[in-house]
């Protein structure tokens, strides 16, 4: 077992021991836990990604609930250790469970929470930023300026793609995909084509109503289409943004065959999960198609990029920051604390939180 790692302790005499594997922004989540009779222990070790052994050491002999991060591998080993330590509650500080073996949690009687909703707009805004940065070559142009290469305006200098009137394709039109679609439709008057397992009725109604508004004001109306297949989106869209959950149906959803049917000058954005794209295939595609551009917030083997990606001028890459606004991160921390409290700790039952 790993050696004990550094901890910050709040409310040392609290009845329930709750552990957070990372410091998180804001004070509200801390107050929620300490006001509800929890002794909160926050891991302050500088190591960015904790191993299973590190987390076993954090759980120790007694732990009622724990807040973990999307970089951690929550499976049988950790859930059985949490059960042995008397724990009943785990919350991921993230949307979804792709780093969590929910069946293992169930087997060990541990309830699992996550933190959706509060990061919907923030994540969609980053996807929109990546779209603009890739379409208008912002990072390349910035680097060019800083390198002292600008000698004056030229007709061909950093020519990119106009979004207005083009088609935005969304794969996974859930909370974030729909919010992103609305931003691109309202902001840039793009037409929508989307693919999801379920119909995005509210999104469709919004586009219809916005199209009618534009028409009534003498402008070209925007349109929507629900695609029968993902391939239809890839063939038709000028910009494609990926927002599905990561599971076995979406692993390497973007593969060499699907890259090959996309427009040569398309923009592809991923702010969902890295393994949704076959990243090695993407690098080859970027090399062969210099006018094809990507904006990536997530990577197949985080924190690493596949060989060659960092050299590609037609890729904009940022380190998984899509939900990184202060308000959102504080909200995620608050939701994670509420998950641990509300579902599982006796102390919370019948009490009011604020
Ligand atoms: N980069 C970041 O920092 C962040 C990334 N995320 C990622 O974004 C994902 C989406 O989040 P939300 O919109 O809140 O989730 P959501 O559950 O509201 O939306 C996911 C959508 O994907 C669809 N879907 C599932 N399987 C599919 C398939 N095979 N093909 C097409 N669509 C499929 C679902 O039907 C659903 O509409 C999360 O699961 C998470 O992985 C979320 C927040 C921040
Ligand atoms: O919450 C998530 O799903 C993330 O990716 C981190 O913001």
């Amino acid at each position: 077992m790993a050696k004990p790692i550094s901890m910050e302790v709040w409310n040392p005499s609290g009845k329930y021991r709750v552990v957070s594997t990372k410091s998180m922004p804001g004070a509200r989540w801390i107050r929620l836990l300490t006001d509800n009779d929890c002794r909160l222990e926050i891991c302050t070790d500088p190591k960015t990604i904790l191993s299973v052994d590190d987390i076993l050491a954090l759980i120790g002999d007694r732990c009622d609930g724990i807040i973990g991060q999307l970089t951690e591998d929550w499976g049988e080993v950790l859930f059985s250790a949490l059960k042995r330590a008397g724990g009943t509650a785990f919350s991921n500080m993230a949307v979804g469970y792709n780093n969590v073996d929910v069946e293992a949690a169930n087997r060990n009687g541990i309830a699992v929470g996550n933190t959706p909703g509060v990061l919907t707009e923030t994540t969609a805004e980053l996807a929109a930023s990546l779209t603009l940065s890739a379409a208008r070559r912002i990072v390349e142009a910035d680097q060019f300026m800083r390198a002292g290469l600008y000698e004056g305006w030229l007709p061909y200098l950093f020519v990119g793609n106009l979004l207005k009137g083009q088609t935005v394709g969304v794969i996974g039109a859930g909370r974030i995909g729909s919010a992103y679609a609305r931003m691109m439709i309202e902001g840039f008057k793009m037409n929508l084509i989307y693919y999801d397992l379920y119909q995005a009725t509210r999104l469709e109604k919004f586009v219809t109503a916005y199209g009618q508004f534009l028409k009534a004001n003498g402008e070209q109306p925007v349109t929507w289409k629900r695609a029968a297949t993902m391939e239809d989106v890839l063939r038709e869209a000028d910009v494609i943004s990926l927002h599905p959950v990561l599971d076995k149906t979406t692993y390497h959803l973007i593969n060499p065959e699907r890259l090959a049917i996309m427009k040569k000058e398309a923009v592809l954005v991923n702010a969902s999960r890295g393994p949704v794209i076959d990243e090695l295939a993407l690098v080859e595609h970027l090399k062969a198609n210099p006018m094809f551009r990507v904006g990536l917030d997530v990577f197949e083997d985080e924190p690493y990029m596949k060989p060659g990606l960092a050299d590609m001028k037609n890729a904009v890459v940022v380190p998984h920051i899509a939900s990184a606004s202060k308000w959102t991160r504080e909200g995620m921390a608050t939701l994670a604390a509420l998950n641990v409290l509300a579902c599982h700790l006796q102390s919370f039952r019948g009490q009011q939180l604020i």
Side-chain angles (χ1 to χ4, degrees), residues 20-37:
S20 174
T21 63
K22 285 279 165 218
S23 294
M24 300 187 291
R28 187 155 179 236
W29 71 279
I30 296 176
R31 217 178 49 241
L32 277 166
L33 290 166
T34 53
D35 285 356
N36 284 280
D37 211 6

Side-chain angles (χ1 to χ4, degrees), residues 338-352:
L338 281 170
N339 284 340
V340 167
L341 278 174
C343 304
H344 324 295
L345 293 185
Q346 298 277 346
S347 63
F348 171 62
R349 295 207 180 114
Q351 292 183 29
Q352 190 148 15

Side-chain angles (χ1 to χ4, degrees), residues 21-205:
T21 63
K22 285 279 165 218
S23 294
M24 300 187 291
R28 187 155 179 236
W29 71 279
I30 296 176
R31 217 178 49 241
L32 277 166
L33 290 166
T34 53
D35 285 356
N36 284 280
D37 211 6
C38 296
R39 171 192 165 99
L40 171 62
E41 296 186 26
I42 304 172
C43 176
T44 52
D45 197 272
K47 193 172 174 184
T48 305
I49 300 181
L50 297 183
S51 67
V52 167
D53 278 350
D54 295 330
I55 300 171
L56 283 174
L58 292 179
I59 292 172
D61 297 335
R62 223 208 99 204
C63 181
D64 295 287
I66 186 158
I67 297 170
Q69 300 296 323
L70 63 86
T71 47
E72 298 157 2
D73 184 7
W74 282 87
E76 178 62 31
V77 176
L78 291 181
F79 287 123
S80 57
L82 186 56
K83 182 185 180 185
R84 282 194 300 279
T88 52
F90 166 79
S91 181
N92 219 15
M93 189 215 188
V95 180
Y97 305 102
N98 58 283
N99 62 315
V100 181
D101 181 343
V102 179
E103 282 176 17
N106 284 342
R107 274 196 302 276
N108 287 285
I110 311 288
V112 174
N114 74 140
T115 60
V118 71
L119 40 53
T120 295
E121 301 291 326
T122 323
T123 305
E125 283 180 14
L126 197 276
S129 310
L130 287 173
T131 306
L132 289 171
S133 303
R136 300 301 302 272
R137 308 175 63 183
I138 304 286
V139 174
E140 272 181 271
D142 176 279
Q143 287 168 349
F144 177 87
M145 280 301 283
R146 289 170 200 271
L149 296 171
Y150 182 49
E151 291 175 354
W153 189 91
L154 282 171
Y156 285 110
L157 194 60
F158 291 109
V159 169
N161 302 0
L162 174 70
L163 299 179
K164 187 177 179 212
Q166 303 282 293
T167 298
V168 61
V170 170
I171 294 181
R175 287 173 294 247
I176 298 169
S178 291
Y180 168 84
R182 283 188 57 151
M183 286 174 195
M184 304 314 289
I185 293 160
E186 263 185 294
F188 305 102
K189 302 193 174 79
M190 299 185 82
N191 299 307
L192 172 69
I193 179 166
Y194 78 92
Y195 177 76
D196 198 299
L197 308 179
Y198 301 96
Q199 188 172 8
T201 315
R202 281 167 65 185
L203 178 60
E204 292 175 0
K205 282 187 179 152

Side-chain angles (χ1 to χ4, degrees), residues 70 93-95 115 119 272-273 320 323 329 332:
L70 63 86
M93 189 215 188
V95 180
T115 60
L119 40 53
S272 62
R273 288 288 182 261
H320 203 149
S323 69
R329 289 284 166 84
M332 291 166 74

Side-chain angles (χ1 to χ4, degrees), residues 125-319:
E125 283 180 14
L126 197 276
S129 310
L130 287 173
T131 306
L132 289 171
S133 303
R136 300 301 302 272
R137 308 175 63 183
I138 304 286
V139 174
E140 272 181 271
D142 176 279
Q143 287 168 349
F144 177 87
M145 280 301 283
R146 289 170 200 271
L149 296 171
Y150 182 49
E151 291 175 354
W153 189 91
L154 282 171
Y156 285 110
L157 194 60
F158 291 109
V159 169
N161 302 0
L162 174 70
L163 299 179
K164 187 177 179 212
Q166 303 282 293
T167 298
V168 61
V170 170
I171 294 181
R175 287 173 294 247
I176 298 169
S178 291
Y180 168 84
R182 283 188 57 151
M183 286 174 195
M184 304 314 289
I185 293 160
E186 263 185 294
F188 305 102
K189 302 193 174 79
M190 299 185 82
N191 299 307
L192 172 69
I193 179 166
Y194 78 92
Y195 177 76
D196 198 299
L197 308 179
Y198 301 96
Q199 188 172 8
T201 315
R202 281 167 65 185
L203 178 60
E204 292 175 0
K205 282 187 179 152
F206 163 77
V207 187
T208 302
Y210 187 51
Q212 285 163 354
F213 168 83
L214 290 174
K215 198 171 172 194
N217 284 280
E219 289 193 65
Q220 181 72 22
V222 289
T223 60
W224 63 265
K225 180 153 72 171
R226 181 179 178 197
T229 67
M230 198 178 322
E231 282 71 15
D232 290 344
V233 175
L234 300 178
R235 266 188 221 101
E236 283 187 37
D238 302 287
V239 168
I240 293 137
S241 197
L242 307 172
H243 299 283
V245 294
L246 171 62
D247 63 13
K248 53 181 185 311
T249 72
T250 60
Y251 176 80
H252 280 193
L253 181 143
I254 299 297
N255 58 23
E257 295 71 39
R258 290 195 170 129
L259 283 163
I261 61 174
M262 292 171 68
K263 293 183 181 176
K264 294 283 180 218
E265 298 191 5
V267 170
L268 174 67
V269 170
N270 189 12
S272 62
R273 288 288 182 261
V276 171
I277 297 182
D278 174 345
E279 203 171 296
L280 276 177
L282 177 66
V283 173
E284 291 312 309
H285 193 76
L286 288 166
K287 283 182 190 161
N289 298 277
M291 302 305 282
F292 183 92
R293 300 199 184 90
V294 287
L296 302 175
D297 178 55
V298 287
F299 304 88
E300 193 168 349
D301 297 321
E302 287 183 29
Y304 308 106
M305 286 188 276
K306 293 286 189 199
L309 183 56
D311 301 324
M312 302 311 304
K313 284 196 184 314
N314 42 351
V316 176
V317 289
V318 296

